[in-house]
Amino acid sequence: MSVMTEVPSQGGDPPPGDPPDAATGGEPIELRLRRALGHRSIVLVGLMGAGKSTVGRRLATRLGLMFKDADNEIETAAKLTIPDIFAIYGEPSFRDGEERVIARLMREGPLVLATGGGAFMRETTRARIAEGGVSIWLKAELDVLMRRVRKRGGRPLLQTEDPEETLRQLMAQRHPVYATADVEVISRDVAHDRVVQDVMEALDAYLNRPSQPGIAAQ
C-alpha cells in the first residue's frame, strides 16, 4: 500500500507537532533516508508537468545522490529530441528505447531518477523499478498540470486539437497504474523545496515505518 502525503495549498511553516527528527535524537532526515535506501534508487513517476525533474534534482542534492532524467538520457542516446523520435520512429519504438534506458540507469544506482509519463505503464519497467528502487508518484490536479505544460512546448502526446481533454484521458488511463507506486505525494503550485521536503518525509515514513508485530505462537 502506498504512503501518501499532501503538500499544503499555501506556503509557510511546516504543520505543528514534533520536529521530524525528534524521535531519532536529532538525526538528519537525509542520513536516515540514505541508510534506509541502501543501494536502492528513488524513481519519480507521474504525468508530464508533475514536477518530476525539478523535484528530482533538488531531492538528489539533499541526499547527495546522482540525478538522472530518463527523457534527457533517451535524447542523448538517440541523438534526437523526443518529438523527433516520435515523429520518425513512432511511440512504440520510443517506448522500447525508454525501457532499455531505464534498465541501464537502474543498474547505475543508487540515484534519483525522473521518468517520462508513460514509462511506469510498462509492466517490465515497473518490475525493474520495484526490484532496485522505491517509486514515488508525484500527483497533480489537471489545472496544475495544464498551467505547467503550457509553459513548455514539444509534448508529443499533447499535439492534439484539445490538449486538455487529451491530458484528462491520460489521467484516467494512467492514474490507476501510478497508484501502485510505493509512495504518493501531492504536487501543487507551492515552493519546490516544500514539495521536496514532503517527498522526503513521505519516503521516511515508508522506509522507516514500524515493522508489524508477529503473531504469538499458540
Side-chain angles (χ1 to χ4, degrees), residues 148-168:
R148 293 174 179 175
V149 298
R150 285 191 181 108
K151 297 176 183 178
R152 177 186 169 191
R155 308 276 189 175
L157 295 183
L158 295 185
Q159 303 308 304
T160 64
E161 293 184 1
D162 189 346
E164 183 169 336
E165 177 59 26
T166 300
L167 190 51
R168 184 179 289 108

Side-chain angles (χ1 to χ4, degrees), residues 55-75:
V55 170
R57 287 189 186 91
R58 293 173 184 241
L59 178 63
T61 298
R62 288 281 302 271
L63 296 177
L65 293 172
M66 286 191 305
F67 170 76
K68 296 287 186 177
D69 184 300
D71 284 351
N72 290 346
E73 295 292 318
I74 292 166
E75 291 183 333

Side-chain angles (χ1 to χ4, degrees), residues 99-195:
E99 181 178 348
R100 291 192 297 271
V101 165
I102 290 176
R104 170 176 60 80
L105 293 172
M106 292 299 295
R107 292 193 296 269
E108 296 177 3
L111 49 78
V112 176
L113 174 62
T115 63
F120 203 63
M121 300 301 292
R122 281 214 170 185
E123 184 177 357
T124 50
T125 296
R126 293 198 301 274
R128 195 176 299 275
I129 291 171
E131 180 181 355
V134 179
S135 52
I136 299 177
W137 175 22
L138 288 184
K139 181 181 181 182
E141 298 297 330
L142 178 63
D143 60 331
V144 174
L145 294 175
M146 285 305 302
R147 282 198 300 272
R148 293 174 179 175
V149 298
R150 285 191 181 108
K151 297 176 183 178
R152 177 186 169 191
R155 308 276 189 175
L157 295 183
L158 295 185
Q159 303 308 304
T160 64
E161 293 184 1
D162 189 346
E164 183 169 336
E165 177 59 26
T166 300
L167 190 51
R168 184 179 289 108
Q169 292 173 7
L170 285 172
M171 292 175 76
Q173 174 190 9
R174 294 179 176 180
H175 275 197
V177 179
Y178 293 154
T180 65
D182 299 313
V183 178
E184 176 183 329
V185 176
I186 301 298
S187 175
R188 295 185 181 178
D189 284 336
V190 295
H192 295 311
D193 287 336
R194 175 68 211 211
V195 181

Side-chain angles (χ1 to χ4, degrees), residues 6-53:
E6 180 169 332
V7 180
S9 58
Q10 301 293 330
D13 296 330
D18 293 335
D21 302 318
T24 59
E27 181 185 34
I29 189 172
E30 292 87 350
L31 293 180
R32 236 175 18 254
L33 290 177
R34 284 296 302 270
R35 182 175 62 248
L37 279 170
H39 296 292
R40 287 178 291 178
S41 293
I42 298 170
V43 183
L44 300 175
V45 306
L47 284 167
M48 60 190 84
K52 301 184 295 291
S53 296

